Amino acid sequence: MGSSPAGIGNEKAATVYTMNGNQVVIRRQMDDMRFDDLTGAIVNPIQVPDEALKGLKPVSLAPQSLSLQTQRLPQLVWFDDIPDPLREALPKRIEYWRRKGVTLLSALVATTASVDVVTRHLQDLFFAPASDHGTVALRRFYDPRVFLHLPWILDRRQMMSVMGPINVWAWPNGSGDWQYHKNDDMFALSRPSVARLNFSQKQKVTLSRLPLINQVSEGLSVSAPDFDQDATFFRTVDQLLSEAKEKGIVDDRDCRLYVTQAFQFGPDIHKHPDMEACRIKATSSTISYVEACSDLSDEMLAHYAIEGKREVL
């Protein structure tokens, strides 16, 4: 099998965004997936029933030192090891299980490397040197809810270290669409290894916040569906969460409300004196920020956003 990005589909019908020099392409139709040009897939056994994996021959990626966690760690499906008819039927199988609420394949990969090389690289990612919380986040690199953030958090060389011998990494977004990241050809002859993957302090903090960032994005997909959840969106969420923490708002529920208010009514809403009063009330007493804002109607918040903008001007 080849490693052509064409294996992910026709880019003419796709949305492309770039952050930190990393390009991510958003596919819109599962029918455009061409499995003949893909090499393998990653499965999260915790989320997938055995019957969904029938015939796919998944092999555990658990390193020797984590062998006791084999049942909880991802598995690799190598397409050369399964019959062609089964591989050709994968798109329909993926869609069938998606409609049942199951993410059959957490990732699809294209590479010219051998299965042993890819396996060793993926195992190395479990030990990427980050902070305690950041390491936990990166260890779940196979989770689409983690990998989708890496291109906007990491720079080009760091993404090269994550991708290693993998040329294309695709992940589902849960609604039937797929996104993919192409490895950077610039470093194709001297790709950085996982051993050289280091993170700045800011990156470590952001990696530790990924569960909260995902909670916020899920909420905003309902309350503010007009926002495209791309790299700029996630970076803004991260900045607002950082701002909330700096102001003494630490509870996750309070942080989610702080960010949601900024998206729904505008970032200047928090500059209004009454909103600042709510924040001070929450951080200097036993009530939460959610409770401090409970009496504020949407009309009042919209007014505060306008007044807050005037405060800035």
Side-chain angles (χ1 to χ4, degrees):
M1 294 180 192
S3 60
S4 169
I8 309 300
N10 178 7
E11 291 185 21
K12 291 182 179 179
T15 299
V16 182
Y17 70 79
T18 302
M19 182 66 76
N20 298 339
N22 298 314
Q23 185 183 91
V24 172
V25 180
I26 303 175
R27 289 292 319 130
R28 294 302 181 191
Q29 295 180 2
M30 183 67 197
D31 292 343
D32 288 331
M33 303 292 285
R34 288 172 49 193
F35 280 77
D36 284 345
D37 290 329
L38 293 166
T39 318
I42 297 175
V43 173
N44 184 350
I46 297 177
Q47 300 176 343
V48 183
D50 291 341
E51 61 178 306
L53 299 173
K54 186 178 180 179
L56 297 186
K57 303 178 182 179
V59 177
S60 176
L61 286 171
Q64 185 69 29
S65 60
L66 298 177
S67 58
L68 295 179
Q69 302 181 43
T70 298
Q71 299 303 317
R72 299 179 57 84
L73 294 178
Q75 300 171 337
L76 180 66
V77 173
W78 204 249
F79 290 158
D80 277 346
D81 294 338
I82 62 178
D84 289 344
L86 192 59
R87 184 172 62 246
E88 292 167 1
L90 269 176
K92 291 184 178 179
R93 188 190 292 204
I94 291 171
E95 181 61 15
Y96 171 81
W97 285 101
R98 185 189 71 81
R99 293 181 182 276
K100 287 179 170 288
V102 175
T103 301
L104 177 60
L105 303 180
S106 295
L108 292 164
V109 299
T111 179
T112 56
S114 69
V115 63
D116 290 338
V117 169
V118 172
T119 297
R120 284 195 299 270
H121 172 73
L122 295 176
Q123 289 176 337
D124 286 344
L125 284 176
F126 287 114
F127 306 103
S131 65
D132 290 340
H133 293 300
T135 299
V136 171
L138 199 67
R139 279 183 182 175
R140 293 188 59 81
F141 62 87
Y142 54 90
D143 187 335
R145 295 168 298 178
V146 170
F147 196 94
L148 74 91
H149 296 293
L150 299 185
W152 67 264
I153 296 175
L154 308 183
D155 62 30
R156 292 173 72 187
R157 196 164 189 86
Q158 288 172 319
M159 279 304 298
M160 286 290 296
S161 294
V162 170
M163 296 286 284
I166 297 170
N167 297 325
V168 178
W169 185 297
W171 64 96
N173 68 0
S175 64
D177 298 338
W178 286 72
Q179 302 181 33
Y180 69 89
H181 173 72
K182 299 178 184 179
N183 211 348
D184 197 329
D185 293 334
M186 178 180 293
F187 303 116
L189 298 179
S190 58
R191 291 179 175 174
S193 67
V194 174
R196 296 184 180 181
L197 180 57
N198 294 302
F199 304 97
S200 68
Q201 185 56 40
K202 185 177 185 300
Q203 288 174 325
K204 292 176 183 178
V205 171
T206 298
L207 285 169
S208 73
R209 271 202 293 260
L210 287 187
L212 185 53
I213 291 174
N214 282 329
Q215 290 173 24
V216 171
S217 68
E218 288 170 8
L220 287 173
S221 67
V222 176
S223 62
D226 292 337
F227 285 99
D228 290 331
Q229 296 201 6
D230 55 13
T232 300
F233 169 88
F234 289 120
R235 178 159 285 184
T236 301
V237 169
D238 184 47
Q239 290 172 342
L240 286 166
L241 288 173
S242 177
E243 181 180 296
K245 299 286 187 182
E246 290 173 359
K247 291 182 176 181
I249 300 174
V250 295
D251 180 79
D252 284 358
R253 186 162 169 253
D254 289 343
C255 287
R256 291 197 298 269
L257 177 61
Y258 184 92
V259 176
T260 300
Q261 289 171 337
F263 270 91
Q264 287 185 318
F265 301 101
D268 296 320
I269 187 173
H270 295 301
K271 296 181 174 67
H272 191 278
D274 286 0
M275 295 304 295
E276 179 65 8
C278 288
R279 196 270 308 173
I280 294 174
K281 186 177 181 180
T283 56
S284 60
S285 66
T286 58
I287 71 169
S288 67
Y289 181 69
V290 170
E291 293 170 326
C293 296
S294 61
D295 292 332
L296 303 179
S297 66
D298 284 355
E299 290 76 16
M300 294 174 66
L301 291 170
H303 174 71
Y304 288 166
I306 296 172
E307 292 298 314
K309 189 171 183 179
R310 290 175 180 171
E311 289 284 331
V312 177
L313 297 176

